[in-house]
Amino acid sequence: MSVGRETRLSAWIERFAAHFAEEGIPLIGGRILGYLLVCQPVERTAAELSQELEASSGSISTNLKYLVNVGLVTKRTRRGRQAAEYRINEKAWTEFIQRKLTAIASVQVLTDDGMRLLSGDPERAQRLKTVDRLYGWLSEELPALWERRPASPK
Amino acid sequence: MSVGRETRLSAWIERFAAHFAEEGIPLIGGRILGYLLVCQPVERTAAELSQELEASSGSISTNLKYLVNVGLVTKRTRRGRQAAEYRINEKAWTEFIQRKLTAIASVQVLTDDGMRLLSGDPERAQRLKTVDRLYGWLSEELPALWERRPASPK
DNA sequence: GATCCCTTTCGGTCGACACTGAAGCCATCG
DNA sequence: CGATGGCTTCAGTGTCGACCGAAAGGGATC
């Protein structure tokens, strides 16, 4: 007997959430992300999310606030409706990833400062120099690579 | 009255450790890394690190084990000396960063699986498709970029 | 303006993890 | 072979943050 699509999807959502949990995003936040990526229709209220994901209203509220804040989810209110609707903002994923890349390269600022402190003692600076060169290269190349990113089709 | 170089260096080490603490590396682990990058001489025993960084022997031991495990620090034992000596392994930083890059791109596996689950329903798959394309591009380009990395001079 | 319903806020609980310090372990040396 | 000295292991402590559920807050409708 085969498993239904929706069942598989919720397993997928769980994997999805688990991945981002390792990156520091709360489990429930990851579940919201995964769910909003594949749900039909695309918009959901906080109450619906709470029920679907079996999470408390408080947790949903906190995590939605966070996700809206980083831009991955957009909130939409409509006249005549009390409940706000939330949906994925696919476009924001580019900035989300960009932040990760720049975070990696940002170590260069540190190694650079360190090199300055050790100026005048090249022998001692040698270890740092190796690391600094790597990060220096990254902070050149990563932004450059990012510029070459293909525009997403309409 | 100016501040001594060593004082500034320990402030730098603290900033260094703080940065990596945000990435999930224990504070003391980060301090060890920063310290071993700039100390003179380059090798230190666990006891010395414990004293210099004012951390318990237990914490030093645990964190050294971790750092040796990920390759960023190498342990060296010498005949006739009980105390092992630890030093930075600059070379390992390449793999350290590479792991971070591949971790980012690895989301593509997830989005890909999701796309498969939604095959046959292009409308519903649209949101995921946008994200999947981005990660697809990344998992092409990041490894390619990495290959072009300049070899570190001897 | 009163009621209803949805959301947000807030105190409280639970689990995870960094860190400590003491006890155990093992190699070195007398 | 015993003593010394340093590293590792382990139980215990404290902190931090995710999560829950109840109460407060604020629109929308009557």
Side-chain angles (χ1 to χ4, degrees):
Chain A
M1 164 148 188
S2 83
V3 191
R5 167 181 276 187
E6 298 308 319
T7 309
R8 286 200 220 169
L9 270 176
S10 54
W12 179 82
I13 291 170
E14 207 55 28
R15 277 208 299 145
F16 193 85
H19 176 96
F20 287 101
E22 285 180 6
E23 297 190 7
I25 293 181
L27 202 49
I28 295 187
R31 289 197 186 112
I32 295 176
L33 274 186
Y35 184 77
L36 287 181
L37 271 171
V38 299
C39 65
Q40 194 79 298
V42 299
E43 287 181 319
R44 289 292 144 105
T45 68
E48 285 165 344
L49 291 169
S50 173
Q51 185 161 16
E52 284 291 335
L53 301 176
E54 297 174 84
S56 74
S57 59
S59 289
I60 295 293
S61 175
T62 305
N63 281 279
L64 277 177
K65 190 174 186 176
Y66 165 73
L67 291 173
V68 168
N69 206 40
V70 299
L72 290 175
V73 169
T74 33
K75 177 180 188 172
R76 175 166 144 225
T77 55
R78 304 169 77 169
R79 252 197 333 213
R81 298 218 187 160
Q82 187 175 357
E85 319 229 283
Y86 296 91
R87 65 152 76 192
I88 272 288
N89 180 15
E90 308 100 283
K91 304 250 185 77
W93 282 84
T94 60
E95 291 127 54
F96 178 69
I97 294 171
Q98 189 179 19
R99 272 196 295 274
K100 286 191 187 300
L101 294 180
T102 46
I104 292 179
S106 74
V107 179
Q108 203 257 341
V109 177
L110 273 170
T111 55
D112 210 45
D113 283 355
M115 288 302 292
R116 218 164 293 140
L117 284 173
L118 292 180
S119 68
D121 196 343
E123 177 107 13
R124 189 169 173 189
Q126 204 181 327
R127 284 156 288 167
L128 232 195
K129 184 70 201 163
T130 309
V131 179
D132 185 48
R133 257 195 298 258
L134 236 183
Y135 281 109
W137 177 76
L138 275 173
S139 33
E140 292 283 327
E141 294 299 327
L142 284 183
L145 174 70
W146 196 246
E147 289 309 316
R148 280 181 254 125
R149 151 181 55 94
S152 65
K154 150 109 207 329
Chain B
M1 164 153 187
S2 83
V3 191
R5 167 182 276 187
E6 298 307 320
T7 309
R8 287 200 220 167
L9 271 177
S10 53
W12 178 82
I13 291 170
E14 206 56 27
R15 277 207 297 144
F16 193 85
H19 176 97
F20 287 101
E22 286 180 6
E23 299 192 5
I25 292 180
L27 203 49
I28 296 187
R31 289 197 186 111
I32 295 175
L33 273 187
Y35 184 78
L36 287 180
L37 271 171
V38 300
C39 65
Q40 194 80 299
V42 299
E43 287 180 320
R44 289 293 144 104
T45 67
E48 285 165 345
L49 290 170
S50 173
Q51 185 160 19
E52 284 290 336
L53 302 176
E54 298 174 84
S56 72
S57 60
S59 288
I60 296 293
S61 176
T62 303
N63 280 280
L64 276 177
K65 191 174 185 176
Y66 164 72
L67 291 172
V68 168
N69 205 40
V70 300
L72 290 175
V73 169
T74 33
K75 177 180 188 171
R76 175 165 142 225
T77 55
R78 304 170 76 168
R79 256 198 328 215
R81 297 219 187 159
Q82 188 175 356
E85 319 228 283
Y86 296 90
R87 65 152 77 193
I88 273 286
N89 180 16
E90 309 99 284
K91 304 248 186 79
W93 282 84
T94 59
E95 290 129 53
F96 178 68
I97 295 172
Q98 189 178 19
R99 271 196 295 274
K100 286 191 187 302
L101 294 180
T102 46
I104 292 179
S106 74
V107 180
Q108 202 259 341
V109 177
L110 273 171
T111 55
D112 211 45
D113 284 356
M115 288 302 292
R116 218 164 294 139
L117 284 173
L118 292 180
S119 67
D121 196 343
E123 177 107 11
R124 189 169 173 189
Q126 203 180 329
R127 284 155 290 167
L128 233 195
K129 184 71 200 164
T130 308
V131 180
D132 185 47
R133 258 196 296 258
L134 236 183
Y135 280 110
W137 177 77
L138 275 173
S139 31
E140 292 282 327
E141 294 299 326
L142 284 183
L145 174 70
W146 196 245
E147 289 308 317
R148 280 181 254 125
R149 151 180 56 94
S152 65
K154 150 111 207 327

